[in-house]
Amino acid sequence: VARRHGVRIHTSTPVERIMKVKDATGFESSRCSDAVGVELAGGEKVVADRVISNVDVHRTRTKLLARPSPPPRSLSMSAFVALLSVEKRDHGLHHHNVLFSDDYEQEFREIMQDRKLPREPTIYISRSCHSDPSQAPPQQENWFVMVNAPAHLEITADEAYDYLQRILERMGVFGITPVV
């Protein structure tokens, strides 16, 4: 839809800074809404009517806009994400799917207070191949699986594998047993 309306989307393009309009004295405006483009790694400048930053607000302010900004006092959440190639079969799923926790309060207590991965998480599953079969090879499906997690939680590869197994077991409660 964006492209049909003339939007040019740049992906895999490192940005060094967001360029802003300069006032009569030659200083850049301090208002974020005065963005006029971006400077890419390597010095190339891309002029734009609008600039959208989809990175952390603190990073946008300090690195891309070069504005002083105190570090955030508290962080909300992060996510545990798995990208899976799943054997194609009818799981009764759509493009976007949410499998809710039986105890939402407990899930968020574990994330926010105990700062650990929830035992019975709410699970989000996106299958873009449902809407566009070209997104996965024949007889396979592409699943983006995400659960809420504490910010800055560091886990080992073995812990990540074990947690993914827990998520797959949790899907089984909903009758979803993907073969990965």
Side-chain angles (χ1 to χ4, degrees):
V1 171
R3 285 189 177 100
R4 282 198 312 257
H5 286 88
V7 173
R8 285 184 30 228
I9 299 170
H10 299 264
T11 61
S12 301
T13 309
V15 172
E16 291 293 322
R17 72 181 185 104
I18 296 173
M19 300 181 307
K20 296 172 283 178
V21 118
K22 292 188 177 182
D23 65 21
T25 65
F27 289 100
E28 285 188 336
S29 168
S30 62
R31 294 181 354 182
C32 293
S33 61
D34 290 335
V36 294
V38 295
E39 183 177 330
L40 305 178
E44 180 186 353
K45 294 179 180 173
V46 177
V47 175
D49 296 326
R50 302 280 188 273
V51 174
I52 298 169
S53 176
N54 191 28
V55 298
D56 177 74
V57 167
H58 186 258
R59 181 170 179 76
T60 297
R61 287 179 182 152
T62 59
K63 302 292 185 202
L64 300 178
L65 292 169
R67 288 178 34 196
S69 181
R73 283 177 267 161
S74 65
L75 299 173
S76 59
M77 292 186 293
S78 187
F80 179 92
V81 174
L83 304 174
L84 306 177
S85 178
V86 175
E87 194 175 280
K88 188 175 194 165
R89 31 180 225 192
D90 185 9
H91 295 281
L93 297 174
H94 299 282
H95 186 133
H96 300 285
N97 308 271
V98 180
L99 310 175
F100 287 99
S101 169
D102 293 331
D103 189 345
Y104 220 47
E105 287 184 23
Q106 177 63 29
E107 177 183 4
F108 280 88
R109 192 171 21 263
E110 289 172 341
I111 294 167
M112 302 304 288
Q113 292 175 8
D114 302 342
R115 300 207 24 79
K116 65 181 188 177
L117 294 168
R119 282 183 349 101
E120 293 187 4
T122 295
I123 303 168
Y124 168 72
I125 305 168
S126 174
R127 300 167 49 248
S128 63
C129 60
H130 180 77
S131 301
D132 179 359
S134 73
Q135 295 293 307
Q139 306 309 314
Q140 293 295 118
E141 294 187 349
N142 62 324
W143 288 23
F144 171 94
V145 178
M146 181 176 73
V147 302
N148 293 319
H152 292 299
L153 180 68
E154 293 187 26
I155 60 174
T156 66
D158 287 340
E159 290 168 328
Y161 178 83
D162 291 345
Y163 195 63
L164 176 58
Q165 298 313 305
R166 183 183 306 165
I167 291 169
L168 294 171
E169 288 171 16
R170 177 90 181 125
M171 287 180 191
V173 170
F174 296 89
I176 300 166
T177 54
V179 176
V180 294

